[in-house]
Amino acid sequence: GAVVSQHPSWVICKSGTSVKIECRSLDFQATTMFWYRQFPKQSLMLMATSNEGSKATYEQGVEKDKFLINHASLTLSTLTVTSAHPEDSSFYICSAIPAAPRTDTQYFGPGTRLTVL
Amino acid sequence: QKEVEQDPGPLSVPEGAIVSLNCTYSNSAFQYFMWYRQYSRKGPELLMYTYSSGNKEDGRFTAQVDKSSKYISLFIRDSQPSDSATYLCAMIRGMYSGGGADGLTFGKGTHLIIQP
């Protein structure tokens, strides 16, 4: 089956530092990847859509300068949380859609838990 | 009004019972409906996927969609303790409705506990 990995699985950082989270599709190529954020006991909220070779599309209310997304290849998208603050502490989850055959199923990664001190 | 409403629970039932989970939504443009299972501190796992109104069965799981009522359900038969998890409904207009892929709109999730 389609497998999506995320690295790291958890990270603790100091306020003001930047953190990079990787999302990889291990056995398929993905032209589109999505980044979601989930606060405790809350739903997954779409943050941005990442398309290979183009700029990411951010949802309303998500600061593009704070959450930098790079989708440099068909198997890798990265989310960088810049100048992280405690309110950025959350569970970040990516998903990917296989490029071929054309499908409408998103495969989710295991998530990255970010704690900002 | 939120786009997708889902009772967060917890919902506690005895082992072997039939579980009924449901969501309501407000956006009539949603056409694809999914149910995901999420264990604590893990990513969501796709359980069921349906398009438009109707029923779909897969083993112990049955998904129902009633677009006229904007109401979707997931039934779990012969529930097992291993089914204890958070169940999230999700929906989308269409993966390529706008020319590009759309992200999913999730419900808050229902925390299900199956008592042995």
Side-chain angles (χ1 to χ4, degrees), chain A residues 25-64:
Chain A
S25 54
L26 298 185
D27 52 1
F28 65 96
Q29 293 184 327
T31 52
T32 302
M33 291 183 172
F34 300 92
W35 287 96
Y36 296 83
R37 179 169 54 184
Q38 185 178 34
F39 292 106
K41 298 187 178 181
Q42 297 295 315
S43 182
L44 280 78
M45 296 296 295
L46 179 66
M47 297 177 66
T49 302
S50 170
N51 292 297
E52 187 267 337
S54 63
K55 290 184 178 180
T57 303
Y58 291 81
E59 295 300 301
Q60 190 174 10
V62 177
E63 301 175 57
K64 62 179 181 180

Side-chain angles (χ1 to χ4, degrees), chain B residues 93-104:
Chain B
R93 294 174 301 170
M95 281 289 173
Y96 299 93
S97 61
D102 283 347
L104 296 171

Side-chain angles (χ1 to χ4, degrees), chain B residues 1-5 24-27 70:
Chain B
Q1 180 188 14
K2 293 184 178 179
E3 275 199 298
V4 181
E5 298 278 0
T24 59
Y25 63 95
S26 58
N27 188 346
K70 297 189 180 67

Side-chain angles (χ1 to χ4, degrees), chain A residues 32 34 36 38 41-44 46 49 91 93 97-98 102-106 108-111 113, chain B residues 2 32 34 36 38 41-44 46 49 88 92 95-96 101-109:
Chain A
T32 302
F34 300 92
Y36 296 83
Q38 185 178 34
K41 298 187 178 181
Q42 297 295 315
S43 182
L44 280 78
L46 179 66
T49 302
F91 194 48
I93 307 174
I97 297 177
R102 179 162 160 154
T103 178
D104 43 20
T105 299
Q106 293 186 26
F108 282 83
R113 185 162 300 280
Chain B
K2 293 184 178 179
Y32 296 83
M34 299 97 174
Y36 285 85
Q38 186 179 27
R41 298 174 181 266
K42 301 292 184 183
L46 180 65
Y49 170 90
L88 299 142
I92 198 168
M95 281 289 173
Y96 299 93
D102 283 347
L104 296 171
T105 300
F106 281 89
K108 187 177 285 191

